[in-house]
Amino acid sequence: MTTTTDLVSYEDALASYDPVMGLEVHVELGTRTKMFCGCSTELGAEPNSQTCPTCLGMPGSLPVVNATGVESAIKIGLALHCEIAEWCRFARKNYFYPDMPKNFQTSQYDEPIAFNGYLDVQLEDGEVFRVEIERAHMEEDTGKSTHVGGATGRIHGALHSLLDYNRAGIPLIEIVTKPIEGAGERAPEVARAYVAELRELIKALGVSEARMEMGQMRCDVNLSLMPKGAEKFGTRSETKNVNSLRSVERAARFEIQRHAAVLSSGGTIIQETRHFHEDTGSTTSGRVKEEAEDYRYFPEPDLVPVAPSREWVEELRAGLPEQPLARRNRLREEWGVSAHDMQSILNAGAIDTIVATIEAGADAASARKWWMGELARSANESGKSLEDLSITPAQVARVTELVSSGDLNDKLARQVIEGVLAGEGTPDEVVEKRGLKVVSDEGALTAAVDEAIAGNPGVAEKIRGGKVAAAGALVGAVMKATRGQADAARVKELILEKLGVSEG
Ligand code: ADP
Ligand code: MG
Ligand code: ZN
């Protein structure tokens, strides 16, 4: 499918138009059971093994609200500075699709559990941009269709489709922004930063792992343009299910360029959904956007209203964690790193592992050094995230402890880490098994030094004559003889001592 779309350059688009965005983010909650039944939400099970009459929409089955789901929704609402409804209901959103056996999605319509909030996000240059939140509401996920036999995996051209209802009924929270105006050329950056900050917040709340690559968090990007200085919003397009931070930014950017091309050639934008294509960074037309009334929303008669007591809400508010942005700013000061370095640490997903390593006894600089260096490299190579590496923050802390006590040098420490990652045991076990301790036994060191001097009389002579810099060659010989396990500084001291020179 190669449809080319007319685009104008990004700069030209922004010279004539102001973008308006709306971001709808779906977060799959990490509850143990589904939103309206007791089925497990565990990933990776046999298709359709985690279903029951309720999530399959069988006649006579009745839903029951998952209290943890409601609690998570309230926590998210509070963390987004929203008001929490004193009383709200679920609503049926009626439409047919095979992945939804009830023929309606249990959602919330005009009575969301949380509304009127905001989230401050920080842009690359450090500026803080406030994104207003319209609402956060509770709903449920659909099942998953797999279209078989076609070339693209899409329904077009497929010979048959398979349906797995394990995901049907898993709780979702949908978070909808108010129209985001005034971001101008930074609109795509704001979109990305917003989704990134929201993900940090969700993770900090512990209500979901919010892994975009696993579909636990996905974003619909609504975008419209209006002529510069105009007040009335243009018609929006809605790019659905964008599932990485980079794609959110690219989708917004592409739509700005596409809208500008349509509008500046006298065309009109149709309100439609669009699909984003990772490979080309472009969007293509989906379906013409339906109106809310098409769904025939009505209050769900099988569920009681949700009326969270104010005591409960206040209790949850009191238990909220520090806002991730505030926490990053605090840690940045404590660790003495630049805003840019902090951004890299955030992008590497290393904040929590570094904090945990410091809590386990490492100093901040060492904890950062290992997680952002050796371990980030290793994670990168194996395509894992830092938390998934088979080394714990406590083990990294132990390695830094062995370095600062002089038992290991950096080179040996790298080997210890490599051993732990390879499953050879704890740092101490790896040191033991691989025999990696720095040779601090003075007798053994002295012997190695004597040997190096005897083996390199010319070098020794130079040093005796005052050329201290030449000691490097002897240190190298000793390090080689001890397989890198000597403390280089101590070796140098011994050499100079033996040859009767002082360093200066
Ligand atoms: P729908 O369910 O039809 O997608 P929502 O109200 O749930 O509608 O979400 C629409 C999103 O788009 C919201 O974030 C809203 O702020 C935003 N939005 C509304 N109108 C416009 C517009 N003209 N241009 C850009 N964004 C818009
Ligand atoms: Mg929408
Ligand atoms: Zn079920």
Side-chain angles (χ1 to χ4, degrees):
M1 186 175 48
T2 44
T3 42
T4 48
T5 311
D6 285 333
L7 300 179
V8 303
S9 81
Y10 190 69
E11 291 67 30
D12 288 350
L14 270 301
S16 315
Y17 299 100
D18 283 328
V20 176
M21 281 188 310
L23 302 168
E24 299 168 75
V25 173
H26 284 92
V27 178
E28 212 177 76
L29 294 180
T31 52
R32 207 174 43 76
T33 58
K34 293 186 181 180
M35 192 64 194
F36 304 111
C37 63
C39 289
S40 167
T41 56
E42 188 102 18
L43 290 174
E46 273 285 291
N48 296 308
S49 62
Q50 291 163 346
T51 56
C52 72
T54 298
C55 57
L56 289 177
M58 302 284 190
S61 61
L62 283 174
V64 177
V65 176
N66 181 332
T68 310
V70 176
E71 180 178 285
S72 303
I74 297 175
K75 283 183 183 168
I76 291 172
L78 289 172
L80 291 170
H81 311 95
C82 287
E83 295 170 50
I84 304 300
E86 306 227 356
W87 190 92
C88 66
R89 284 177 298 189
F90 287 96
R92 291 189 180 185
K93 181 181 184 182
N94 298 282
Y95 66 98
F96 169 76
Y97 199 75
D99 64 9
M100 202 179 58
K102 296 189 296 186
N103 270 358
F104 62 85
Q105 180 189 31
T106 307
S107 180
Q108 292 197 286
Y109 180 46
D110 48 359
E111 299 167 353
I113 186 143
F115 49 95
N116 278 345
Y118 65 85
L119 181 64
D120 284 337
V121 306
Q122 194 162 32
L123 305 181
E124 293 283 335
D125 65 2
E127 198 192 308
V128 173
F129 192 98
R130 178 160 294 185
V131 175
E132 311 268 355
I133 306 293
E134 178 167 310
R135 65 177 196 271
H137 70 244
M138 300 179 281
E139 58 184 37
E140 59 179 338
D141 214 342
T142 57
K144 191 174 182 312
S145 341
T146 307
H147 305 297
V148 187
T152 59
R154 291 180 173 261
I155 196 165
H156 304 282
L159 297 175
H160 63 275
S161 298
L162 299 170
L163 286 158
D164 174 8
Y165 293 116
N166 284 353
R167 203 180 63 185
I170 290 188
L172 293 180
I173 304 298
E174 177 172 347
I175 300 151
V176 183
T177 68
K178 293 187 178 164
I180 302 169
E181 296 177 72
E185 60 180 8
R186 295 198 293 181
E189 191 196 341
V190 168
R192 180 201 177 105
Y194 166 75
V195 178
E197 198 60 48
L198 187 55
R199 188 182 60 176
E200 290 303 302
L201 189 68
I202 299 287
K203 285 196 294 185
L205 291 169
V207 296
S208 167
E209 289 181 30
R211 292 194 167 196
M212 296 188 81
E213 73 282 6
M214 287 169 67
Q216 292 171 339
M217 183 167 171
R218 36 200 201 254
C219 179
D220 300 343
V221 181
N222 293 268
L223 189 128
S224 67
L225 295 184
M226 53 186 179
K228 264 203 168 329
E231 282 177 5
K232 193 170 172 293
F233 294 168
T235 303
R236 67 184 156 115
S237 57
E238 181 178 356
T239 306
K240 303 291 284 183
N241 290 327
V242 186
N243 63 2
S244 74
L245 297 178
R246 180 162 174 264
S247 297
V248 167
E249 183 165 2
R250 289 168 89 205
R253 196 179 167 93
F254 182 88
E255 281 299 283
I256 288 174
Q257 293 181 259
R258 185 184 69 84
H259 279 230
V262 172
L263 295 172
S264 58
S265 65
T268 46
I269 295 288
I270 30 175
Q271 189 170 329
E272 62 179 356
T273 65
R274 298 185 66 89
H275 304 292
F276 180 72
H277 305 279
E278 299 272 349
D279 47 353
T280 54
S282 61
T283 67
T284 53
S285 182
R287 60 190 149 85
V288 172
K289 182 69 182 173
E290 61 296 316
E291 300 291 334
E293 51 265 32
D294 296 333
Y295 288 116
R296 296 291 184 272
Y297 278 101
F298 64 84
E300 167 59 60
D302 287 343
L303 286 167
V304 291
V306 175
S309 76
R310 296 302 96 175
E311 292 72 34
W312 188 32
V313 170
E314 289 318 310
E315 208 175 286
L316 293 176
R317 192 196 305 278
L320 288 180
E322 186 180 11
Q323 287 272 325
L325 177 55
R327 176 173 181 247
R328 289 204 300 283
N329 287 333
R330 174 175 62 76
L331 292 173
R332 197 160 74 69
E333 299 229 324
E334 284 175 21
W335 298 349
V337 298
S338 68
H340 181 265
D341 284 349
M342 198 65 197
Q343 190 65 38
S344 313
I345 293 172
L346 173 68
N347 293 342
I351 295 176
D352 291 337
T353 48
I354 292 175
V355 167
T357 305
I358 295 169
E359 278 168 8
D363 66 280
S366 309
R368 261 193 302 123
K369 182 177 100 175
W370 291 111
W371 284 108
M372 292 301 289
E374 203 63 16
L375 292 163
R377 208 159 25 249
S378 172
N380 226 344
E381 276 164 16
S382 53
K384 287 183 179 171
S385 68
L386 291 176
E387 296 110 62
D388 291 339
L389 288 177
S390 38
I391 189 165
T392 64
Q395 289 172 332
V396 175
R398 175 64 184 148
V399 172
T400 67
E401 200 182 319
L402 290 169
V403 172
S404 57
S405 64
D407 288 313
L408 292 177
N409 56 27
D410 272 15
K411 189 164 160 244
L412 294 169
R414 269 196 293 280
Q415 294 179 46
V416 172
I417 285 176
E418 184 191 291
V420 176
L421 289 174
E424 292 169 28
T426 65
D428 289 284
E429 285 164 358
V430 175
V431 166
E432 191 63 39
K433 278 189 210 158
R434 292 197 181 188
L436 291 178
K437 268 218 163 124
V438 164
V439 177
S440 52
D441 166 5
E442 291 276 318
L445 271 192
T446 310
V449 166
D450 286 342
E451 211 168 293
I453 291 172
N456 301 276
V459 179
E461 207 42 52
K462 274 190 201 160
I463 300 172
R464 272 198 200 91
K467 214 166 167 248
V468 173
L474 295 187
V475 174
V478 174
M479 293 307 280
K480 201 167 166 205
T482 57
R483 296 185 7 254
Q485 285 167 237
D487 172 355
R490 179 71 192 131
V491 171
K492 188 171 177 192
E493 265 172 35
L494 284 173
I495 292 168
L496 297 181
E497 237 173 79
K498 290 261 171 194
L499 298 175
V501 282
S502 71
E503 192 142 15

